[in-house]
Amino acid sequence: SNFKGTISKWYFSRNKNKLFSPISTTFMDLVRFHLGSVCLGSMLITLVKVIKMIIKAFKRKASEGTSSAFVQMLFACSEWLIEKLEKVVKYLIRNAYIIVAKDGTPLYDSGKKAFGLIFKNLQDVLLLNLLGDFTLFLGKVFVTAITTFIGYEMMVILFLIFYSLN
């Protein structure tokens, strides 16, 4: 397919003056060619949310009655797992939507490509996240140290002023 998103159309266009309303043409491409992908992605997210609601309903019913600690733990673990599954599905579908808009491929093919790209770049993403977290930590330590130093110096100056007045 040769259907690109608005930004792709603008970026890859040689003559920007010949673009005819890229937003409306991209919207029409979405309706004409990719509405099924959007519906499928939304359906998958909704399916996971429905499963999550069912688990919560069963957990509520079990907590009303006299259920064992094992059953309560089982529901808590399943609720945690479904929340993580929901996050993963949302992340994969969001990346698949990006590839649908960029390449014009169906959601399934775009999802496979997105998963492959994420898995291939997993080491880089993890390293970047760790480096970013470490940089933020150093920034927080630096700001705290500078603020503490300035506060201490101001207290010393105020003490000296107060002491010299008496």
Side-chain angles (χ1 to χ4, degrees):
S1 299
N2 199 15
F3 303 104
K4 308 290 184 199
T6 302
I7 295 172
S8 297
K9 285 180 183 179
W10 179 84
Y11 185 78
F12 292 112
S13 174
R14 297 248 185 237
N15 187 358
K16 308 280 190 252
N17 296 329
K18 289 189 177 183
L19 285 176
F20 173 73
S21 184
I23 293 174
S24 63
T25 56
T26 300
F27 180 74
M28 290 310 297
D29 288 346
L30 166 75
V31 171
R32 222 179 289 143
F33 300 107
H34 304 302
L35 197 57
S37 295
V38 172
C39 290
L40 179 61
S42 298
M43 186 189 73
L44 291 173
I45 292 172
T46 304
L47 184 65
V48 172
K49 285 184 182 254
V50 166
I51 293 170
K52 183 179 174 182
M53 289 171 43
I54 291 171
I55 289 173
K56 282 186 178 185
F58 279 135
K59 182 181 177 185
R60 202 173 322 114
K61 279 284 194 196
S63 66
E64 288 173 3
T66 56
S67 62
S68 66
F70 176 74
V71 172
Q72 300 247 344
M73 185 194 64
L74 187 66
F75 279 124
C77 289
S78 60
E79 191 175 14
W80 179 81
L81 276 173
I82 199 73
E83 284 179 13
K84 297 306 172 193
L85 176 68
E86 182 182 15
K87 285 183 180 181
V88 167
V89 166
K90 282 182 177 180
Y91 183 72
L92 281 175
I93 288 177
R94 186 180 74 217
N95 284 297
Y97 282 159
I98 292 168
I99 294 178
V100 165
K102 185 177 84 54
D103 294 345
T105 55
L107 185 71
Y108 179 74
D109 297 336
S110 299
K112 285 193 316 187
K113 187 174 182 181
F115 182 77
L117 287 171
I118 291 167
F119 192 72
K120 187 172 106 177
N121 298 322
L122 187 61
Q123 183 180 10
D124 295 338
V125 170
L126 289 176
L127 180 65
L128 188 61
N129 283 340
L130 287 173
L131 187 63
D133 290 344
F134 182 69
T135 305
L136 285 173
F137 173 73
L138 284 180
K140 289 176 184 178
V141 168
F142 181 71
V143 167
T144 304
I146 293 294
T147 305
T148 303
F149 178 74
I150 291 172
Y152 175 76
E153 290 297 320
M154 288 175 65
M155 284 176 48
V156 168
I157 291 171
L158 287 174
F159 178 74
L160 290 174
I161 291 173
F162 182 72
Y163 185 71
S164 68
L165 290 177
N166 289 336

